[in-house]
Amino acid sequence: MNTAAAPAISPGSLDIGIGGMTCASCVSRVERALKKVPGVQSVAVNLATESARIAYAPTEQIEARLRRAVRDAGYEPLAADATIDAPDASPWAGFMPVAIGLALSAPLVLPMLGNLAGWHWMLPAWLQFALATPVQFILGARFYKAGWHALKNLAGNMDLLVALGTTAGWLLSMWLWLNAAPGVMAHLYFEGSAVVITMVLLGKWLEARAKRQTTSAIRALHGLRPATAHLIGLDGEVDVPVAEVLVGDRLVVKPGERLPVDGLLQEGQTQVDESMLTGEPLPIVKDPGAALTGGSINGDGRIVMQVKAVGSETVLAHIIRLVEDAQAAKAPIQRLVDQVSAVFVPVVLGIALITLLGWWLSGHPFEVAVINAVTVLVIACPCALGLATPAAIMAGTGVAAKYGILIKDAQALELAHKVDVVVFDKTGTLTVGQPRLTAFQAVAGGDEVTLLAAAASLQSGSEHPLARAVVAVASERGLAIHPPMTVRAVPGRGTEGELRATDGNEAAQPIYLIGSLRWMDELGVDWRALAAPAATLQGSGATVSLLARRWVATAAQAERIDILALLAFADEPKPGAQAAVAALRARSIKTVMISGDNQGAAEAMARRLGFLPESGEVRAEVLPGDKAAQVLALKSGGHTVAMVGDGVNDAPALTAADVGMAMANAGGGGSDVAMHAAGITLMRGDPSLVAAALDISDRTVAKIRQNLFWAFAYNVAGIPLAALGFLNPVVAGAAMAMSSVSVMSNALLLKRWKPEK
């Protein structure tokens, strides 16, 4: 019997565009409808993008069921990127209903304006009816349709409030007109209903224009993908759709064209503008063998490239996914909005009913009671409440992406503004990450040439930066490098392996070790003969390793390890790294550098970078697996910690931190493992982007708070004023429409943000 456990079913994910949502209550209703579908695990609906992201366990016809649930809730299921990928519309697109509403409502408002100037006159009742009725039932049909769907689902939304309020005003006007005494001109309220609908339509049109601006960043990224590529085939160069390009194909890219996919430069030399991907404005020189990123712009050279990644595997596709994920996600602060919106409309209906009864039972005319209740319904529409958070997140993540800061999720964006400790991995993050072998010293009587060749042979199969530095020097000197017979990497310590005997004696293949001083101490190696030069080199900031030979135990002698040589490596700080550390300190943020180097070497480099070792800002001799423990120790002290790293061995620490920041390596791609573990990806290896990421987080969270304050304060102040009779439906309609526009406009101010130099 096979007792193996069944493999776990990995959840699927689906994005659905949703047409017809108007407020926070709509968001809650769609989420409730989708969560009822069997197999759904989580739902996040975004009013600003008019879309939903659903995580589900794969079941039969799940996608069709999800779309049906959206439709049954009273909304239109659309393609997820229907809004983003739609061609740019005219600035006046969709304005026609607003224009008609303004034309019909203007004559109704003229008598009100005349009263202010002392002119007391009114339009005939039949003319008021003729002007207001098309606005109420033709232009306002969308509110009746959406409100009816909400009512059927025992829910409420903005459309229901508008439909109820304006219908009550229209019916009251009809009742007063039909019951007026002959020859008496009753005061009618047709203008209130017509103006409210027109103002709401105007507000929605302005809101839609603002939404297009919040998605401009993601649309710009989509626009970086060219439609065709110049393929070198059997019959020469031919144009093919980019979707048909395969890994391994050879493509021609002409001067000024965008690179269609990721690959390697094979022929030619050029400069490439990668500013839309990395935020770096200066073109980058590319020689044969250099990595090329799809979406970047070729300079003035005709080049041939070999394709290495296509479709969803390209760097550009990954960037687009990260930005879309961030804009689709909900920030933790949104939970408060969801809780309020779930009960908002029923509470408003209750307040409107109390207002109606209170005014009527206190002896006021019934029409006054109705108008005040209508004003409560109109001014309380929760549009601004639903847009406050997603609009700011979309604007913030969009402008950050423009400058090479990819924020993976809204939680990282919200947490980053609380960071008070930033932990940096040293190599590749603060330093160039391309160490050079600066010293090689054999013990007395040792042959440096032979030992350097042995060290290079042992390291020849490794991708570690120190190993590559050894091999590079040996190659420059023309030394013979032979692959090791066997090799074993000891993480965080070094490498051990067998090399082929130079005298041809296959039975006596020597075993060499190369690694850190710490490893040699753990193995009990006596390296006192090289202690003095090692101390001197470490004091200057060099990283020191030792080369040793292991003698296998025989009948004649016990196993022993003899020290052979010392190797010293030097790396250089990245340009601007010191200024980046200073910028964080200016924000009252503590900085910490983690290094696997000896304490002396780590402190020497730390001082060059601007850290203060005497203040505990340097953690030396830290093994890769212990970085996460260092981060957790800082968190346990009550700090909010950001971790900045660039390699696979940084992934656990990036995950352990409150905010992980993965930094792209010198090749421009960054470690995929680190990028998946981090909440924020910095698309170029510039430490100054760390302070910039924290700054855009500060500003975005500030905008969220400003928007929420305005949305709540608007309703807290507006509803009592309406209930007490200090407002009329016309003023309430204008205020309600402008509330959502003001929230969107405030969020769009983030688009002016630039990283500080």
Side-chain angles (χ1 to χ4, degrees):
M1 179 183 295
N2 183 4
T3 59
I9 299 176
S10 55
S13 178
L14 177 68
D15 290 344
I16 299 178
I18 301 174
M21 292 195 301
T22 55
C23 65
S25 297
C26 296
V27 171
S28 299
R29 190 158 113 235
V30 173
E31 286 186 344
R32 287 197 301 270
L34 289 171
K35 286 177 180 177
K36 291 178 182 178
V37 177
V40 170
Q41 298 174 342
S42 65
V43 178
V45 177
N46 189 316
L47 179 61
T49 59
E50 298 181 5
S51 64
R53 172 157 295 182
I54 306 108
Y56 58 87
T59 57
E60 185 178 358
Q61 296 184 323
I62 182 70
E63 293 190 16
R65 294 177 186 274
L66 291 169
R67 295 182 182 278
R68 178 67 61 84
V70 171
R71 190 176 299 281
D72 290 344
Y75 302 93
E76 185 71 19
L78 306 170
D81 53 1
T83 302
I84 291 175
D85 283 343
D88 286 333
S90 161
W92 296 98
F95 186 72
M96 184 57 70
V98 180
I100 295 173
L102 290 172
L104 294 174
S105 300
L108 296 171
V109 177
L110 286 177
M112 293 178 59
L113 299 177
N115 285 335
L116 296 177
W119 304 333
H120 301 289
W121 61 283
M122 295 180 64
L123 294 175
W126 66 268
L127 183 55
Q128 293 185 49
F129 169 81
L131 291 169
T133 301
V135 176
Q136 183 71 44
F137 297 106
I138 298 177
L139 299 182
R142 54 176 287 182
F143 302 114
Y144 287 101
K145 180 181 178 181
W148 171 243
H149 282 294
L151 207 57
K152 284 197 302 180
N153 287 275
L154 301 178
N157 60 8
M158 183 207 80
D159 302 288
L160 180 62
L161 295 181
V162 171
L164 287 175
T166 57
T167 302
W170 187 88
L171 289 174
L172 175 63
S173 299
M174 288 295 296
W175 184 81
L176 292 173
W177 178 27
L178 297 177
N179 288 276
V184 176
M185 185 63 179
H187 182 76
L188 307 180
Y189 299 93
F190 283 120
E191 83 285 346
S193 297
V195 170
V196 165
I197 287 178
T198 301
M199 286 295 101
V200 175
L201 292 175
L202 175 61
K204 287 298 169 187
W205 177 73
L206 293 172
E207 182 185 307
R209 288 189 63 183
K211 283 180 182 176
R212 290 288 292 175
Q213 293 184 54
T214 62
T215 59
S216 61
I218 192 69
R219 286 187 289 116
L221 289 172
H222 278 270
L224 295 181
R225 299 177 294 193
T228 59
H230 311 305
L231 175 67
I232 300 177
L234 297 177
D235 300 325
E237 185 180 320
V238 59
D239 288 351
V240 298
V242 170
E244 297 180 12
V245 173
L246 303 175
V247 173
D249 283 345
R250 297 175 72 238
L251 307 177
V252 171
V253 184
K254 299 175 182 178
E257 291 185 336
R258 290 196 181 275
L259 277 63
V261 290
D262 295 353
L264 294 178
L265 178 58
Q266 280 196 331
E267 299 176 14
Q269 185 183 49
T270 189
Q271 292 184 331
V272 175
D273 179 1
E274 298 180 344
S275 57
M276 269 304 295
L277 305 176
T278 66
E280 175 58 57
L282 298 177
I284 300 171
V285 176
K286 299 287 184 177
D287 295 313
L292 300 173
T293 305
S296 53
I297 302 174
N298 183 29
D300 55 4
R302 180 185 184 277
I303 60 173
V304 176
M305 64 179 290
Q306 184 176 29
V307 179
K308 292 298 181 183
V310 297
S312 62
E313 300 303 316
T314 62
V315 171
L316 177 59
H318 182 68
I319 291 172
I320 291 174
R321 281 200 303 273
L322 284 178
V323 177
E324 288 178 338
D325 287 348
Q327 296 190 343
K330 281 191 175 184
I333 198 172
Q334 184 71 17
R335 298 190 192 103
L336 173 63
V337 178
D338 294 342
Q339 292 170 358
V340 172
S341 62
V343 298
F344 189 85
V345 173
V347 168
V348 170
L349 291 173
I351 293 173
L353 179 60
I354 293 171
T355 301
L356 174 69
L357 295 176
W359 281 87
W360 188 28
L361 296 178
S362 63
H364 291 83
F366 181 70
E367 58 264 30
V368 173
V370 170
I371 289 302
N372 288 334
V374 167
T375 306
V376 169
L377 292 174
V378 171
I379 203 167
C381 295
C383 310
L385 202 59
L387 291 168
T389 300
I393 288 175
M394 290 178 65
T397 55
V399 72
K402 178 180 177 181
Y403 292 101
I405 302 168
L406 302 184
I407 299 170
K408 184 177 178 180
D409 56 57
Q411 183 172 358
L413 180 69
E414 188 172 331
L415 274 176
H417 86 284
K418 300 178 182 178
V419 166
D420 58 355
V421 176
V422 175
V423 179
F424 288 93
D425 173 57
K426 188 198 77 170
T427 304
T429 304
L430 291 169
T431 64
V432 176
Q434 298 175 347
R436 297 172 291 105
L437 180 64
T438 57
F440 186 91
Q441 181 175 336
V443 295
D447 182 353
E448 288 192 4
V449 173
T450 302
L451 293 176
L452 178 57
S457 296
L458 179 61
Q459 300 278 50
S460 60
S462 174
E463 291 299 318
H464 194 283
L466 299 184
R468 292 201 298 266
V470 175
V471 173
V473 170
S475 299
E476 289 172 4
R477 297 187 183 182
L479 303 182
I481 300 175
H482 304 288
M485 302 293 293
T486 62
V487 66
R488 178 175 71 95
V490 182
R493 289 169 171 81
T495 304
E496 179 178 6
E498 290 181 284
L499 298 182
R500 191 179 304 277
T502 56
D503 59 4
N505 184 0
E506 295 295 333
Q509 294 166 353
I511 301 174
Y512 287 93
L513 303 87
I514 185 169
S516 66
L517 306 183
R518 177 177 181 174
W519 189 31
M520 296 301 165
D521 287 336
E522 291 173 354
L523 295 174
V525 179
D526 181 4
W527 53 278
R528 285 176 295 179
L530 295 172
T536 301
L537 289 164
Q538 286 179 334
S540 66
T543 300
V544 175
S545 296
L546 295 175
L547 176 67
R549 178 171 178 175
R550 183 191 297 273
W551 298 91
V552 180
T554 64
Q557 64 176 12
E559 178 179 294
R560 75 177 194 274
I561 302 177
D562 292 338
I563 198 70
L564 299 177
L566 172 151
L567 302 89
F569 303 89
D571 199 358
E572 290 298 315
K574 284 184 176 178
Q578 185 176 11
V581 172
L584 290 170
R585 188 170 288 117
R587 296 173 65 93
S588 299
I589 294 174
K590 180 180 179 180
T591 54
V592 176
M593 186 187 83
I594 290 181
S595 173
D597 289 346
N598 173 274
Q599 188 74 33
E603 289 186 0
M605 177 58 75
R607 287 190 174 90
R608 294 181 65 187
L609 291 164
F611 290 89
L612 304 175
E614 60 275 9
S615 300
E617 294 187 353
V618 178
R619 308 293 169 90
E621 300 182 27
V622 178
L623 297 176
D626 295 336
K627 292 179 183 178
Q630 294 285 338
V631 170
L632 292 173
L634 289 167
K635 288 176 64 176
S636 66
H639 296 288
T640 303
V641 180
M643 171 69 193
V644 188
D646 72 324
V648 174
N649 58 22
D650 295 323
L654 292 171
T655 303
D658 295 293
V659 179
M661 297 189 188
M663 184 176 287
N665 58 31
S671 164
D672 286 342
V673 175
M675 291 170 71
H676 283 296
I680 298 175
T681 297
L682 310 178
M683 285 306 295
R684 64 179 191 272
D686 184 354
S688 69
L689 289 182
V690 176
L694 300 182
D695 185 51
I696 188 60
S697 169
D698 281 347
R699 295 174 185 268
T700 303
V701 171
K703 288 298 179 188
I704 291 174
R705 289 173 174 170
Q706 291 167 13
N707 285 349
L708 288 176
F709 172 80
W710 166 250
F712 280 113
Y714 161 81
N715 284 291
V716 168
I719 292 175
L721 290 174
L724 294 173
F726 292 107
L727 301 175
N728 62 51
V730 173
V731 173
M736 185 270 289
M738 291 303 104
S739 67
S740 57
V741 175
S742 65
V743 163
M744 294 296 297
S745 300
N746 188 43
L748 286 173
L749 292 176
L750 285 170
K751 294 185 66 177
R752 299 159 59 184
W753 176 84
K754 291 182 179 180
E756 294 182 6
K757 298 296 184 183

